[in-house]
Amino acid sequence: MKVGFKRLFLSAIAIGMMMTNVTYAKKINMNLFYDGKNHPYNASEVKINIDGKELQPEDMPPVIIDGRTVLPMRLIAKALGCEVLWNEETKQAFVMNDDFTVAFTLGSKKGIKNGKEFTMDVPAMVVNDRTMLPVRALAQALDLDITWDDPNRTVNIGAGASPTTPTTPTTPTTPTTPTTPTTQAIKVFQASVPTSTTASQVFTIEADQAIYSYDEIYVDDGRIVLDIQNATSSLSEKITATNSNIVTAIRTAQHDSNGIPVTRIVFDLSGKKTKTITQSADKKKIIITFEQPVIDEISLSNRGDMDKLVVGASGSLGAKVSTLSNPQRIVVDIPNVQSKVENELSTKGLSYINAARTGMYDANTFRIVLEVGQLTDFSWKEENGELTLEVRKSTLENLSYDSTSNILTLENVKSIDIDDIRKNDRHTEGYYELTLPGNYESVYGYGTLKIGNDVMNNIIVSTTGGDTVIRFNQNRYSEYVVKETKNGYEIAAKNPKDVYNKVVLLDAGHGGKDPGTNGNGLVEKNIALSVALKVQKCLENSGVKVYMTRDSDVYPENSLRAKTANQIADLMVSVHLNSAGSNTTANGTETLYQVHSNENGSKLTSLKAAEIMQSNLIQAFGTTNRGVKRRTDLLILNGTTVPAILVETCFLSNPGDAIKISSSTNQDIVAMAIAKAITEMMDDYTIR
Ligand SMILES: [Zn+2]
């Protein structure tokens, strides 16, 4: 049982590590954040004894909420020698050891132990970002003897009845002769999935008794539907961590057919797939095996006004097609296939495809890359195991781009109401889109306009949902100004500084491959991003235009962050969290700066910006004031020519600081202080 669950959820799990122990005073005075609100908490401490030994709480102590004692799950589980895993996607916590796996879903009274559902009187909850379990639920879930010693405010935990282990299904050496089906309903209790997307794609549904009757019901090619007769299920209603590119989810539902319970199991597929369904010898398992299609043909040919790629395979491909620029490329990714075709593809005689390559992109994805020329477009389709992709000349017309002024001119062939143009600035993703209501394909065509200067990489004109979308793939952050002239419509890619009076570049430190520091279960890149996004929100409608270096878990190079600041911003503010490693006492807030050679006292300097930031943060956040510090070794500060500061919000290595910054409310307080400091700098000082 437990193996199945581990496999099922391991991929989607993030584990926070608790690093330090804190001894709490007899009185606990702290803010508890739950149900979306802060609740001041002031009460005597609650102790936990396990087999007579007192347990030291980590960052989150046991507390009493609404008359119920709730305990930090990770602390108890670890003390009992269990592993704890958290699945963010499903909001489920798993406590497991060699004998059992228990799953708790936040806010739900239903838990699953060894695949069997049980009901708790109160659900698991999150307090200060920690999963907390009521004592009763814990006793029920882990089969523990738990008593409450009121005078000493102590929870006594002793291992009680050992948890029940499900019987391991055995595969008999000789097939058993089917006997008359029992009238008692069978229980479907386990779904096993592949260990990874690259492992053989075998899925198993398992019951406690032989499955004598099941039907495969055809609905469409996108799913497999199995109805198991006279059965009930204890499977989770939806399993999405399938470790598969073929099966995207497994769903179960229960229904009744003439008084007989029927368990329906649905496998959602990523397209039509070739599969076989068998049963184990003891008939307790239904086994679905998917074949990996084999690519047996890849060809390129010229058909006059187009070049054509054909990929043939023994089964459905489920290809994904995307583009890359510099040079312009079309990328075809085919998951879960084998290929018998060589890597070399000749582009001789082709008009629009300049080069072509194939190979395994990663362990399970076969990739075809086509380098294409200027002004090309493509379309593709997949049918019956054959993918065809056609590359032809772009049909763009009646528009032009001036690389000096960075203005796109749409000739006035058909009138456009420029007030109705919708703007979508996705600068962190490298593009900006303008949507013109209405279909202008007959006027401007569609396709890619290659530019390749400092400001613009290329411009893609397309029609979607009856609207015309102009996507500017940028080499620099820009704001777009549309105006009507005698020539038509001009869309100018402007430096934000030419459009806005005050521009700040907010930088969430680290990201992606670079987690930064960590401590007390918190990771710097995540907290920095969370705070930076909150600052961005605070500055909406403030008169300060905000750009971000990142708004997701990605890593832009530090040199690029500094370069962007210099290109488009009046000020750069970089958000970080500090650490003193194993020294858990160091705490507080500091703001780092570097003196830039072009700075002088008549304008805002990095030092002045740091001082304003530091005083605002200390006032609002109440942390230890470590002051402003000149740093000569940081790329972000050295690479900038505009005033730039780096905020070390507080220490993740210090339990007190860490608990503060872990709460969303405190992050709001920090963000508001940073936003206030930024507006102060820009209002009170000359910035240009
Ligand atoms: Zn950092």
Side-chain angles (χ1 to χ4, degrees):
M1 183 58 227
K2 61 188 188 302
V3 177
F5 261 99
K6 276 183 186 166
R7 281 192 191 155
L8 233 46
F9 291 97
L10 219 57
S11 62
I13 280 162
I15 309 163
M17 295 295 292
M18 308 306 304
M19 310 297 281
T20 48
N21 285 329
V22 191
T23 311
Y24 282 87
K26 292 280 173 215
K27 268 274 179 193
I28 299 210
N29 189 357
M30 65 190 292
N31 256 330
L32 300 183
F33 187 80
Y34 59 91
D35 293 343
K37 283 195 291 279
N38 250 334
H39 306 258
Y41 182 81
N42 194 344
S44 296
E45 72 170 342
V46 172
K47 288 185 187 146
I48 308 170
N49 278 342
I50 292 191
D51 291 332
K53 197 165 164 274
E54 191 179 334
L55 200 58
Q56 289 303 321
E58 293 170 334
D59 58 349
M60 183 64 208
V63 288
I64 298 178
I65 294 174
D66 296 335
R68 283 199 175 88
T69 309
V70 294
L71 309 177
M73 184 175 72
R74 182 181 300 277
L75 180 76
I76 306 292
K78 275 176 70 185
L80 295 170
C82 299
E83 196 181 345
V84 182
L85 300 173
W86 169 250
N87 184 335
E88 177 60 31
E89 208 178 308
T90 58
K91 302 284 176 212
Q92 280 183 310
F94 297 86
V95 178
M96 55 184 78
N97 68 8
D98 286 344
D99 295 315
F100 63 86
T101 299
V102 185
F104 302 95
T105 307
L106 280 191
S108 164
K109 290 182 184 175
K110 293 218 158 45
I112 298 174
K113 182 161 81 181
N114 287 344
K116 298 201 169 66
E117 208 168 76
F118 65 96
T119 308
M120 298 169 277
D121 53 355
V122 270
M125 65 194 294
V126 166
V127 182
N128 293 5
D129 286 343
R130 295 282 164 259
T131 307
M132 303 291 281
L133 275 184
V135 168
R136 275 281 304 273
L138 200 66
Q140 281 172 296
L142 304 186
D143 274 329
L144 298 166
D145 286 332
I146 303 189
T147 54
W148 171 243
D149 172 0
D150 198 48
N152 295 312
R153 288 176 75 84
T154 299
V155 180
N156 286 308
I157 300 176
S162 61
T164 46
T165 350
T167 50
T168 320
T170 49
T171 317
T173 42
T174 48
T176 49
T177 324
T179 51
T180 324
T182 56
T183 45
Q184 195 197 351
I186 59 176
K187 289 190 177 65
V188 177
F189 70 94
Q190 177 164 302
S192 297
V193 301
T195 49
S196 72
T197 51
T198 53
S200 52
Q201 297 289 297
V202 179
F203 294 78
T204 307
I205 296 297
E206 189 170 348
D208 65 338
Q209 307 171 43
I211 300 168
Y212 286 105
S213 178
Y214 73 92
D215 303 302
E216 184 186 356
I217 295 164
Y218 179 80
V219 181
D220 56 40
D221 287 344
R223 68 197 101 168
I224 298 168
V225 179
L226 300 179
D227 272 359
I228 302 175
Q229 306 298 322
N230 193 31
T232 59
S233 165
S234 61
L235 291 176
S236 157
E237 278 181 9
K238 188 170 184 190
I239 297 166
T240 49
T242 54
N243 288 339
S244 172
N245 295 324
I246 294 175
V247 175
T248 55
I250 302 169
R251 294 177 284 137
T252 63
Q254 197 66 35
H255 63 270
D256 242 63
S257 168
N258 298 323
I260 295 168
V262 177
T263 296
R264 169 164 290 187
I265 302 180
V266 180
F267 293 78
D268 288 319
L269 309 180
S270 56
K272 189 182 179 180
K273 304 293 172 192
T274 312
K275 48 103 194 4
T276 52
I277 303 182
T278 56
Q279 274 194 279
S280 59
D282 64 359
K283 288 194 172 285
K284 286 181 179 173
K285 293 178 186 170
I286 297 174
I287 302 159
I288 305 177
T289 309
F290 292 91
E291 283 165 28
Q292 295 197 328
V294 177
I295 295 174
D296 44 31
E297 180 204 356
I298 301 180
S299 66
L300 286 169
S301 58
N302 178 263
R303 309 279 168 102
D305 65 339
M306 70 165 93
D307 290 342
K308 190 172 184 176
L309 165 77
V310 176
V311 182
S314 61
S316 155
L317 292 166
K320 287 200 177 73
V321 179
S322 58
T323 58
L324 290 169
S325 43
N326 266 337
Q328 195 67 33
R329 280 156 292 167
I330 301 166
V331 178
V332 181
D333 281 333
I334 306 168
N336 271 309
V337 285
Q338 298 163 33
S339 178
K340 287 181 176 167
V341 181
E342 288 175 25
N343 285 7
E344 291 300 317
L345 275 177
S346 169
T347 50
K348 217 175 144 197
L350 300 186
S351 304
Y352 309 106
I353 301 173
N354 301 329
R357 296 183 292 278
T358 67
M360 294 307 289
Y361 173 64
D362 57 32
N364 64 312
T365 308
F366 184 75
R367 174 172 273 196
I368 304 167
V369 179
L370 306 175
E371 270 183 36
V372 292
Q374 228 174 348
L375 294 176
T376 55
D377 273 295
F378 71 94
S379 59
W380 65 284
K381 63 176 195 288
E382 193 187 314
E383 265 170 13
N384 306 320
E386 185 175 86
L387 175 137
T388 51
L389 188 150
E390 297 170 355
V391 182
R392 63 188 95 70
K393 195 175 185 302
S394 150
T395 66
L396 288 179
E397 57 183 344
N398 298 322
L399 52 81
S400 60
Y401 188 84
D402 182 321
S403 278
T404 313
S405 60
N406 289 300
I407 293 175
L408 174 71
T409 302
L410 306 176
E411 285 172 35
N412 191 4
V413 182
K414 193 175 164 187
S415 80
I416 300 170
D417 192 342
I418 62 173
D419 294 334
D420 290 343
I421 293 176
R422 297 193 299 274
K423 293 178 171 182
N424 185 12
D425 184 351
R426 305 295 289 268
H427 58 270
T428 53
E429 288 159 67
Y431 69 92
Y432 193 117
E433 272 180 2
L434 293 184
T435 302
L436 282 47
N439 187 333
Y440 291 88
E441 194 176 304
S442 62
V443 181
Y444 302 115
Y446 54 85
T448 307
L449 204 57
K450 275 192 78 169
I451 315 294
N453 67 8
D454 289 350
V455 171
M456 199 66 64
N457 184 10
N458 61 51
I459 300 168
I460 299 171
V461 180
S462 62
T463 309
T464 39
D467 290 335
T468 302
V469 178
I470 305 174
R471 178 173 173 148
F472 297 89
N473 286 315
Q474 308 179 137
N475 285 334
R476 182 205 72 193
Y477 293 180
S478 292
E479 181 53 89
Y480 292 78
V481 176
V482 187
K483 74 177 180 196
E484 199 171 344
T485 69
K486 60 181 188 303
N487 301 324
Y489 304 94
E490 287 186 3
I491 304 173
K494 297 246 188 199
N495 188 313
K497 282 197 196 182
D498 295 334
V499 182
Y500 302 103
N501 295 328
K502 304 164 188 171
V503 182
V504 64
L505 179 66
L506 277 182
D507 175 42
H510 311 276
K513 64 178 185 186
D514 170 19
T517 189
N518 67 77
N520 290 291
L522 305 174
V523 179
E524 182 180 5
K525 65 173 183 178
N526 300 334
I527 306 284
L529 177 60
S530 174
V531 171
L533 289 171
K534 286 170 185 284
V535 177
Q536 181 188 29
K537 267 225 140 58
C538 292
L539 286 170
E540 271 172 21
N541 309 316
S542 69
V544 178
K545 175 68 182 176
V546 178
Y547 287 89
M548 307 290 289
T549 56
R550 66 177 181 104
D551 56 10
S552 62
D553 188 18
V554 295
Y555 180 76
E557 289 296 331
N558 280 325
S559 55
L560 177 67
R561 303 184 204 215
K563 181 183 166 191
T564 301
N566 297 338
Q567 282 175 330
I568 61 115
D570 298 304
L571 169 72
M572 181 179 208
V573 175
S574 184
V575 179
H576 286 248
L577 285 301
N578 222 333
S579 169
S582 58
N583 168 5
T584 58
T585 51
N587 68 88
T589 302
E590 59 194 41
T591 305
L592 313 179
Y593 71 99
Q594 163 69 309
V595 177
H596 294 150
S597 59
N598 63 339
E599 289 178 342
N600 67 64
S602 68
K603 289 184 185 173
L604 180 71
T605 62
S606 296
L607 169 61
K608 197 67 223 170
E611 285 168 353
I612 295 170
M613 181 59 71
Q614 181 70 10
S615 67
N616 272 282
L617 275 170
I618 296 302
Q619 202 176 0
F621 197 30
T623 34
T624 304
N625 188 351
R626 301 172 65 92
V628 301
K629 291 181 179 171
R630 182 174 176 181
R631 280 285 288 269
T632 58
D633 59 335
L634 299 173
L635 208 160
I636 288 254
L637 302 181
N638 284 334
T640 35
T641 52
V642 293
I645 52 174
L646 194 153
V647 177
E648 293 283 11
T649 314
C650 63
F651 280 73
L652 294 185
S653 49
N654 175 261
D657 273 12
I659 217 171
K660 274 185 101 166
I661 199 64
S662 71
S663 109
S664 178
T665 312
N666 278 327
Q667 290 176 16
D668 283 331
I669 290 168
V670 168
M672 279 186 278
I674 294 175
K676 182 169 163 280
I678 290 170
T679 50
E680 225 174 282
M681 292 169 207
M682 295 197 155
D683 288 344
D684 298 354
Y685 290 84
T686 309
I687 48 171
R688 290 188 190 163

